[in-house]
């Protein structure tokens, strides 16, 4: 099994690319953002509690996403590996994921980090707001807060991964197809 993390600021294209990569390489795509939005859409107690946190652009508590992911890993069988999208988002989540995988005789093989300029991130999220109606895309102040939260809480994961030799920066600028080709090239080395 080969396991990848796709990583980058909000709007860097994690979700967009993960769908295409999971299909191409027969990976299970696990998006904590999608899982949380599904909880909100179906009106579960968890969804109700997480909705206000997400609409402000803050991160939901680590234990919530760690539990969701552990459950999904144990119920996903028969693929070439996992593609984690938007998880982990804190160093604590990264350590928990490593432990979860190690306990199951797996590991993180590569962390693909999409690098996109600030103005392009804002442009993409504002454009998505028109189509998705996502509350966290509608307000420019919330978009800026998400980018700040990424810098303070999520970016430190990069150093952690660099020390483990699993950090792979990828240029996330350009068309969806250009970025897809670049990511595919790195992933092919493992598959
Ligand atoms: P996520 O659902 O992970 O979403 P995201 O970071 O906003 O976006 P992503 O990078 O996936 O962008 P996308 O491909 O869609 O998180 C949402 C929220 O959930 C978080 O703020 C947090 O509250 C919560 N959450 C999720 N996981 C969590 C965790 N582990 N811990 C705590 N909280 C968590 O692309 C954006 C737009 O750009 C799309 O419209 C796309 O079409 C467009 N686009 C993509 N690539 C493009 C390209 N190359 N050119 C032009 N447009 C492009």
């Amino acid at each position: 099994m080969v396991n990848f993390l796709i990583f980058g600021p909000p709007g860097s294209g994690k979700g967009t690319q993960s769908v295409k990569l999971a299909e191409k390489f027969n990976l299970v795509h696990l998006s904590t953002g999608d899982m949380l939005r599904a909880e909100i859409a179906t009106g579960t107690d968890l969804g109700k509690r997480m909705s206000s946190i997400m609409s402000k652009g803050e991160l939901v508590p680590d234990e919530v996403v760690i539990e969701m992911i552990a459950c999904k890993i144990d119920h996903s069988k028969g693929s070439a590996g996992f593609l984690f999208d938007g998880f982990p988002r804190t160093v604590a989540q990264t350590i928990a994921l490593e432990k979860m995988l190690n306990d199951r005789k797996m590991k993180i093989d590569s962390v693909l980090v999409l690098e996109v300029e600030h103005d392009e991130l804002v442009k993409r999220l504002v454009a998505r707001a028109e189509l998705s109606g996502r509350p966290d895309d509608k307000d420019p102040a919330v978009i800026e807060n998400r980018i700040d939260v990424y810098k303070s809480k999520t970016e430190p994961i990069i150093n952690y991964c660099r020390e483990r030799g699993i950090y792979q920066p990828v240029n996330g600028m350009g068309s969806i197809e250009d970025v897809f080709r670049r990511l595919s090239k790195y992933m092919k080395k493992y598959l």
Side-chain angles (χ1 to χ4, degrees):
M1 269 203 149
V2 185
N3 302 304
F4 299 95
L5 308 191
I6 186 153
F7 194 89
S12 56
K14 301 180 294 287
T16 306
Q17 297 296 335
S18 296
V19 171
K20 291 164 71 67
L21 293 165
E23 193 190 347
K24 181 175 168 110
F25 295 113
N26 183 32
L27 299 167
V28 175
H29 172 206
L30 295 182
S31 160
T32 40
D34 288 349
M35 291 176 208
L36 291 164
R37 281 186 290 277
E39 296 282 340
I40 294 171
T42 48
T44 63
D45 284 347
L46 179 73
K48 283 179 195 143
R49 281 186 281 125
M50 298 308 124
S51 166
S52 70
I53 300 177
M54 290 174 70
S55 63
K56 286 187 221 128
E58 298 294 330
L59 296 181
V60 308
D62 286 339
E63 58 275 17
V64 169
V65 284
I66 289 168
E67 200 182 315
M68 284 192 327
I69 286 282
C71 180
K72 290 281 179 186
I73 290 177
D74 289 334
H75 290 90
S76 311
K77 301 253 152 31
S79 66
F82 290 99
L83 178 57
F84 295 95
D85 158 17
F87 176 88
R89 260 179 158 92
T90 61
V91 173
Q93 290 182 19
T94 315
I95 294 167
L97 176 62
E98 276 190 317
K99 181 166 184 326
M100 238 184 268
L101 293 176
N102 291 343
D103 287 349
R104 293 160 177 80
K105 312 253 175 302
M106 296 190 275
K107 64 178 173 27
I108 303 168
D109 292 279
S110 183
V111 180
L112 302 150
V113 183
L114 290 170
E115 297 182 334
V116 177
E117 289 163 16
H118 176 275
D119 291 355
E120 174 67 13
L121 297 174
V122 176
K123 199 173 100 190
R124 290 181 189 176
L125 293 174
V126 167
R128 182 171 66 184
E130 302 280 320
L131 304 169
S132 71
R134 265 176 60 170
D136 56 345
D137 288 342
K138 274 191 192 143
D139 180 347
V142 172
I143 293 179
E144 289 300 338
N145 187 42
R146 284 158 65 196
I147 296 172
D148 288 347
V149 167
Y150 173 79
K151 285 186 185 149
S152 62
K153 299 204 171 135
T154 308
E155 237 174 24
I157 298 174
I158 291 181
N159 263 342
Y160 183 89
C161 294
R162 200 184 262 130
E163 284 162 13
R164 280 160 178 68
I166 52 175
Y167 162 68
Q168 178 59 63
V170 180
N171 179 3
M173 297 289 287
S175 73
I176 290 173
E177 282 310 316
D178 285 344
V179 179
F180 180 60
R181 267 192 293 275
R182 284 179 211 134
L183 286 162
S184 298
K185 195 179 104 199
Y186 288 117
M187 289 171 72
K188 269 187 194 144
K189 292 183 197 166
Y190 297 86
L191 289 154

